[in-house]
Amino acid sequence: MLEGLATWFLNNYLGKYLENLDTDQLSISLLQGAVELENVPLRKDALRFIEPSIEVRTGVVGHIKLTIPVSRMRSEPWTLLLEKVSIVLGPQKFNQYDEEADDLVRLETKLAALDGIEGDWRAAQDGEGSSSSGYYPVTSSWLSYGTSFIGTIVENLQLDIRDVHVRYEDDVTNPQQISAMGFTLESLAAQTCDEFWSPKFVHRDPTLGQLDSFKIVSMTNMAAYLDCPAERYSDLSPSELATVLSVSNTTSTSHTPRQYILSPVSATATIKRHCLGKPLNSKKQPRVVADLQLD
């Protein structure tokens, strides 16, 4: 069951963004309580859900580590660590436009919204104890273990992202001169907490009216820049890209200082999210309430 659950988690949450995500050796890694992947490239269409006209020119995640508390899964959170995330984006060229792929992205966005509604329905079925009449895809037998349990794992997931650099290179607007903009991030961490903002493993039951989730998010040294002219990084190999775009490397290969439009800033946010899968019809009930403190 654990191997199937970990495979589903990695494929469902990372597989749509990463190329060649190898989950065949999970049974060996899970004996240690952790799954680690190195230098995983990004898919070209990884960020099409944000804007279909943007494509990933090149990108790599240097280190991925999923830590699973094998003997305490109902009381301790899973932890997902992503390190050395380097991405170079660019505008999709007109001659490369794929109408079918664009339609597929829009369809997947709609299906994701339906999944949220279905997830609430499944949790309600589990809460009523109607396991015999519950709906589970025949291709995922391990779901019979309890979709509310799976939802609890996902909701309590601790996310830790370090050394991020996302860069957008425009070589279409002016082919004679490349312009670039991007942002760097030293670290981003998110963890679940209770309604008193105390980090803890939370069991939330929607059937009892527990529809709000609470998160604490910490961001360290985010900065943004705009370079014109700029050098082309999209042709670099993954290893070269990771070196050049590392957060610790604040200059280009020609040692030209970056033109920062936002100096490094840190922040902490508390986020309360109303998790009802259906649209909210009341103006008095916001979907998200956030309190942001800048350092």
Side-chain angles (χ1 to χ4, degrees), residues 122-177:
R122 287 181 179 177
Q125 294 295 309
D126 284 346
E128 294 171 2
S130 56
S131 58
S132 59
S133 60
Y135 167 74
Y136 303 102
V138 295
T139 56
S140 301
S141 59
W142 56 266
L143 277 174
S144 60
Y145 193 76
T147 52
S148 60
F149 169 62
I150 298 166
T152 299
I153 289 176
V154 174
E155 181 168 337
N156 285 278
L157 178 71
Q158 286 191 0
L159 181 63
D160 190 3
I161 306 176
R162 306 173 188 171
D163 197 348
V164 178
H165 190 148
V166 179
R167 177 182 174 92
Y168 179 87
E169 293 182 353
D170 184 0
D171 56 359
V172 175
T173 304
N174 183 0
Q176 279 72 44
Q177 178 176 283

Side-chain angles (χ1 to χ4, degrees), residues 12-20 40-61 85-90 92 101 104-105 108-109 166:
N12 192 62
Y13 288 95
L14 297 181
K16 64 181 68 174
Y17 308 112
L18 304 176
E19 291 276 12
N20 306 322
V40 183
L42 265 70
R43 296 176 49 163
K44 294 294 184 183
D45 59 349
L47 302 180
R48 288 282 177 84
F49 71 96
I50 298 177
E51 173 53 55
S53 64
I54 294 178
E55 67 177 7
V56 176
R57 297 287 177 84
T58 183
V60 65
V61 181
V85 181
S86 303
I87 306 174
V88 178
L89 307 173
Q92 186 183 35
L104 182 60
V105 170
E108 289 178 346
T109 302
V166 179

Side-chain angles (χ1 to χ4, degrees), residues 105-120:
V105 170
R106 300 182 190 280
L107 175 62
E108 289 178 346
T109 302
K110 295 178 181 178
L111 291 176
L114 290 175
D115 283 343
I117 298 175
E118 184 182 12
D120 285 344

